[in-house]
């Protein structure tokens, strides 16, 4: 199973590579990898398992963070309503692609972090507010979905990893908390 020891940290050149698309039909090892990535995220959000395995609570993971330069991401976004156990988005995406996006931009009010970055980097990470993406799931089935709010931010953060982009590349160096007119701040 995947633990923090398998996650490479900034400075490893793989995090700055453009990852390769996977071919269909998916190889067995690529399906197993996807399952393990999703399992890591679920474990990391389970208090007992996270403590036992020393995991940081994760909502998304990209294959390059495991030193595997392939266009595979996993996302497991819990429902903001603690009453609802069902996650709002929980899936593995093969060859995810942003087809279109809103003009409106958005950022997380608390800024971003990264499982591959062992330091705080303060500042707003401005992204598209809404995106339409295509991807293949573990069964090789094509999907085209629209995402907004937190899910949209998470998927953009993960797709960035497939293109060698880190969240702090988006932060305004002169004024990390500068915000243009009309950028949606997500709580
Ligand atoms: C880097 C870390 C702080 C661990 C971040 N988690 C997070 O922001 N909050 C969180 C954690 C949970 F478990 C459950 C929950 F609802 C919220 C995260 O997983 N990532 C994923 C990552 O590093 N992928 O490469 C960073 C996030 C910043 C914005 C989107 C993803
Ligand atoms: Zn990250």
């Amino acid at each position: 199973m995947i633990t923090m020891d398998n996650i490479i940290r900034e400075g490893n050149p793989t995090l700055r590579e453009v990852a390769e698309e996977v071919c269909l039909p998916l190889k067995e090892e690529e399906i197993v990898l996807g399952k393990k990535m999703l399992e890591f995220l679920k474990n990391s959000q389970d208090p007992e398992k996270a403590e036992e395995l020393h995991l940081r609570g994760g909502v998304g993971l990209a294959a390059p963070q495991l030193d595997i330069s392939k266009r595979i991401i996993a996302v497991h976004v819990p429902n903001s309503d603690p009453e609802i156990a069902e996650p709002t988005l929980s899936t593995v995406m093969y060859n995810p692609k942003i087809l279109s996006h809103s003009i409106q931009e958005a950022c997380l009010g608390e800024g971003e972090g990264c499982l591959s970055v062992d330091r705080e980097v303060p500042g707003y990470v401005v992204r598209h507010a809404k995106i339409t993406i295509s991807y293949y799931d573990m069964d090789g089935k094509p999907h085209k979905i629209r995402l907004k709010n937190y899910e949209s931010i998470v998927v953009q953060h993960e797709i960035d990893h497939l293109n060698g982009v880190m969240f702090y590349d988006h932060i305004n160096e002169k004024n990390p908390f500068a915000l243009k007119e009309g950028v949606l701040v997500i709580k």
Side-chain angles (χ1 to χ4, degrees):
M1 112 200 89
I2 296 173
T3 67
M4 294 308 291
D5 295 343
N6 304 106
I7 295 176
I8 61 172
R9 308 301 155 94
E10 57 180 332
N12 187 314
T14 304
L15 287 173
R16 288 304 192 179
E17 286 174 11
V18 176
E20 287 285 309
E21 289 214 328
V22 292
C23 298
L24 288 166
L26 297 172
K27 297 188 185 81
E28 186 54 29
E29 72 186 60
E30 291 164 340
I31 296 169
V32 168
L33 174 64
K35 288 187 185 337
K36 286 168 70 174
M37 288 167 70
L38 199 51
E39 181 205 32
F40 165 82
L41 296 174
K42 290 176 182 172
N43 288 344
S44 79
Q45 292 181 27
D46 175 312
E48 282 81 45
K49 292 209 180 107
E51 191 187 339
E52 182 196 329
L53 299 164
H54 310 292
L55 307 179
R56 278 181 85 184
V59 282
L61 187 67
Q65 292 179 278
L66 301 171
D67 212 7
I68 300 171
S69 204
K70 288 187 176 184
R71 302 186 81 83
I72 305 169
I73 67 173
V75 291
H76 189 71
V77 183
N79 202 296
S80 44
D81 178 345
E83 293 293 298
I84 305 171
E86 275 305 294
T88 58
L89 182 65
S90 179
T91 191
V92 182
M93 299 183 180
Y94 295 87
N95 297 343
K97 189 176 163 74
I98 296 176
L99 300 176
S100 63
H101 59 78
S102 60
I103 295 171
Q104 163 112 57
E105 295 178 312
C107 66
L108 296 184
E110 289 103 51
E112 297 190 9
C114 181
L115 288 162
S116 295
V117 178
D118 295 326
R119 62 192 170 101
E120 300 272 317
V121 185
Y124 289 132
V125 179
V126 179
R127 298 186 184 277
H128 307 307
K130 299 177 186 176
I131 55 175
T132 300
I133 62 167
S134 62
Y135 67 90
Y136 292 91
D137 66 18
M138 281 189 263
D139 304 320
K141 195 169 143 255
H143 294 259
K144 180 175 168 186
I145 61 171
R146 291 174 56 77
L147 294 172
K148 62 181 192 285
N149 299 330
Y150 189 56
E151 288 76 26
S152 166
I153 299 290
V154 174
V155 169
Q156 288 178 76
H157 177 109
E158 302 313 331
I159 290 178
D160 264 358
H161 278 303
L162 305 182
N163 297 319
V165 175
M166 300 294 282
F167 73 91
Y168 44 73
D169 299 344
H170 299 282
I171 296 175
N172 180 318
E173 266 179 34
K174 274 182 293 307
N175 177 355
F177 291 99
L179 267 188
K180 280 184 297 181
E181 186 77 17
V183 175
L184 179 71
V185 179
I186 299 167
K187 284 281 150 276

